[in-house]
């Protein structure tokens, strides 16, 4: 019999740590109340998959997570992965921003050991909760050797997603997580099965290390519509080093917002055109003449993850071309 992997499970809160008054409360409940030890006690059979150690790092809904939370999670995971007696890490996390934390880790951890971020859409107290099975599956994925070297993963609803692609795409259904090019694989009865690998660079192949990152530059997001006032764009651009402009369709910009965004770029704010559609790519020099205006384009990334990527890229360069390459490489 092969030795069991040593997996550390870190608790950070969310619905997976939530509790409702009654079993019918699938949507109305208190978030982030159960400790990680209590959650693990609901799946005693998980100890057949791995030697488990638990620690509570945070206890809050993921809608509250800012850059400091990301740095704290990343630093703790990195120090655990550096230990010889740790083979992988599972992070229980709210689902609202799970893809942002996972993508941040995917780009900044310097290890091939598996890291799996997991949440649930229903609290453990609800009928047909997905909490126990999602956590059991996440531990199975983290403990399995086939999960090494493929970056940070998100496990939900029997599926294994790469952090780069996964998006929470439904506010209420169990089937909430979607990767535009499909999941990497699935988990059935404690065994992961993979069908493909992430293509874009991650973990060991990025220039960012969580161990050397200091304070992160401020990058903000503006959600656009025809009636959006130039004042709003100017107010946000005044305090940011980067601005993800979430335009309509293929990252389109309303006529009255072109000058405010060009002004921001002239003042050294990195303006990135993204799309409200949630799918597809924003074509450089397509809907707008990006070269002439000094703007960047997001490629296929969703706005919140584009914010993470631009934040990291700006820790090393202000060069437009290098920043654009980052959107095409990661
Ligand atoms: N508000 C919760 C969170 O993101 C929702 C969830 O976990 O599903 O922390």
């Amino acid at each position: 019999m092969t030795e069991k992997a040593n997996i550390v499970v870190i608790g950070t809160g969310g619905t997976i740590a939530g509790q409702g008054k009654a079993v019918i409360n699938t949507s109305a409940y208190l978030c982030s109340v159960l400790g990680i030890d209590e959650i693990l006690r609901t799946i005693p059979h998980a100890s057949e998959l791995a030697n488990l150690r638990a620690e509570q790092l945070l206890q809050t809904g993921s809608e509250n997570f800012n850059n400091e939370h990301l740095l704290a999670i990343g630093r703790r995971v990195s120090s655990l992965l550096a230990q010889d007696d740790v083979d992988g890490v599972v992070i229980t996390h709210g689902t609202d921003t799970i893809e942002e934390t996972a993508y941040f880790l995917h780009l900044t951890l310097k290890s091939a050991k598996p890291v799996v971020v997991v949440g649930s859409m229903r609290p453990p107290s609800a009928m047909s909760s997905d909490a126990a099975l999602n956590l059991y599956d996440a531990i199975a994925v983290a403990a399995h050797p086939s999960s090494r070297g493929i970056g940070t993963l998100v496990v939900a609803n029997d599926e294994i997603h790469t952090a780069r692609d996964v998006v929470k795409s439904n506010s209420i259904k169990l089937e909430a997580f979607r990767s535009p090019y499909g999941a990497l694989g699935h988990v059935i009865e404690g065994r992961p099965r993979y069908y493909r690998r992430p293509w874009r660079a991650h973990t060991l192949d990025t220039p960012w290390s969580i161990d050397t990152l200091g304070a992160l530059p401020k990058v903000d997001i503006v959600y656009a519509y025809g009636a959006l006032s130039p004042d709003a764009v100017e107010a946000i651009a005044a305090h940011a080093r980067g601005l993800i402009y979430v335009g309509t369709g293929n990252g389109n910009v309303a006529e009255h917002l072109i000058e405010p965004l060009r002004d921001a770029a002239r003042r050294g704010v990195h303006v990135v055109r993204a799309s409200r559609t949630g799918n597809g790519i924003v074509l450089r020099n397509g809907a707008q003449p990006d070269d002439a205006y000094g703007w960047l384009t997001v490629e296929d990334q969703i706005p919140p993850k584009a914010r993470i990527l631009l934040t990291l890229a700006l820790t090393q360069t202000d060069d437009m071309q290098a920043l654009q390459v980052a959107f095409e490489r990661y």
Side-chain angles (χ1 to χ4, degrees):
M1 203 182 110
T2 51
E3 256 181 59
K4 280 192 284 186
N6 298 319
I7 302 298
V8 181
V9 185
I10 297 178
T12 73
T15 294
I16 197 165
Q19 197 155 36
K21 284 204 184 100
V23 292
I24 59 148
N25 294 128
T26 53
S27 306
Y29 51 85
L30 282 178
C31 235
S32 315
V33 290
L34 301 177
I36 190 61
D37 290 319
E38 284 174 280
I39 306 171
L40 276 172
R41 274 202 287 278
T42 65
I43 49 166
H45 38 291
S47 62
E48 289 163 20
L49 297 170
N51 301 314
L52 297 174
R53 210 165 91 204
E55 62 178 61
Q56 191 79 48
L57 183 63
L58 303 168
Q59 185 65 300
T60 187
S62 68
E63 61 276 15
N64 300 317
F65 282 17
N66 58 29
N67 291 345
E68 295 311 311
H69 294 90
L70 299 184
L71 288 167
I73 295 172
R75 286 177 186 142
R76 184 59 194 145
V77 173
S78 174
S79 78
L80 288 167
L81 295 178
Q83 297 172 19
D84 290 339
D85 63 348
V86 173
D87 299 308
V89 171
V90 170
I91 303 155
T92 59
H93 196 291
T95 60
D96 286 2
T97 66
I98 199 168
E99 67 251 51
E100 287 156 73
T101 303
Y103 190 45
F104 179 78
L105 300 175
H106 189 66
L107 294 174
T108 59
L109 290 173
K110 294 289 161 251
S111 174
K113 293 180 184 176
V115 174
V116 181
V117 195
V118 63
S120 70
M121 295 299 290
R122 294 179 185 159
S125 52
M127 267 192 287
S128 288
S129 170
D130 50 338
L133 185 56
N134 282 356
L135 182 54
Y136 180 77
D137 284 350
I139 292 167
V141 169
H144 204 274
S146 59
S147 306
R148 282 181 63 92
I150 51 175
T152 303
L153 303 165
V154 171
V155 168
N157 205 31
D158 299 342
E159 291 183 328
I160 309 165
H161 295 266
T162 167
R164 184 198 182 268
D165 293 348
V166 70
V167 180
K168 181 176 181 180
S169 61
N170 193 290
S171 58
I172 207 138
K173 289 186 180 176
L174 299 191
E175 202 184 344
F177 296 92
R178 181 185 59 80
S179 289
Y181 315 109
L184 300 182
H186 51 231
V187 206
I188 307 290
E189 298 198 359
R191 195 185 137 205
R193 291 160 204 267
Y194 288 97
Y195 299 93
R196 51 193 207 88
R197 298 174 68 84
W199 174 260
R200 300 276 180 124
H202 56 80
T203 53
L204 297 168
D205 297 322
T206 77
W208 309 291
S209 167
I210 186 69
D211 302 317
T212 52
L213 281 176
L216 297 174
K218 188 164 162 53
V219 175
D220 283 320
I221 302 176
V222 177
Y223 191 93
Y225 44 93
L228 178 64
S229 107
D231 298 349
V233 173
E234 279 155 18
I236 291 175
H239 302 285
R241 256 181 83 197
L243 186 70
I244 310 296
Y245 176 84
V246 189
T248 53
N250 189 7
N252 249 315
V253 181
E255 280 165 15
H256 68 287
L257 298 175
I258 290 176
E259 267 319 297
L261 288 171
R262 290 189 70 186
D263 262 359
R266 281 185 209 108
R267 278 182 282 114
V269 180
H270 296 285
V271 174
V272 186
R273 285 197 301 120
S275 170
R276 288 191 340 189
T277 62
N279 269 300
I281 71 159
V282 174
L283 189 67
R284 190 163 174 81
N285 296 315
Q288 296 290 330
D290 299 292
D291 286 345
Y293 290 175
W295 296 343
L296 298 157
T297 48
V298 82
E299 233 266 338
D300 70 336
Q301 199 47 279
I302 58 162
K305 284 202 264 186
R307 185 191 77 85
I308 300 283
L309 179 55
L310 183 62
T311 300
L312 290 171
L314 287 173
T315 62
Q316 295 193 348
T317 186
D318 269 297
D319 180 73
M320 282 273 299
Q321 244 182 325
L323 293 170
Q324 187 61 61
V325 165
F327 282 104
E328 274 139 42
R329 187 170 291 160
Y330 303 105

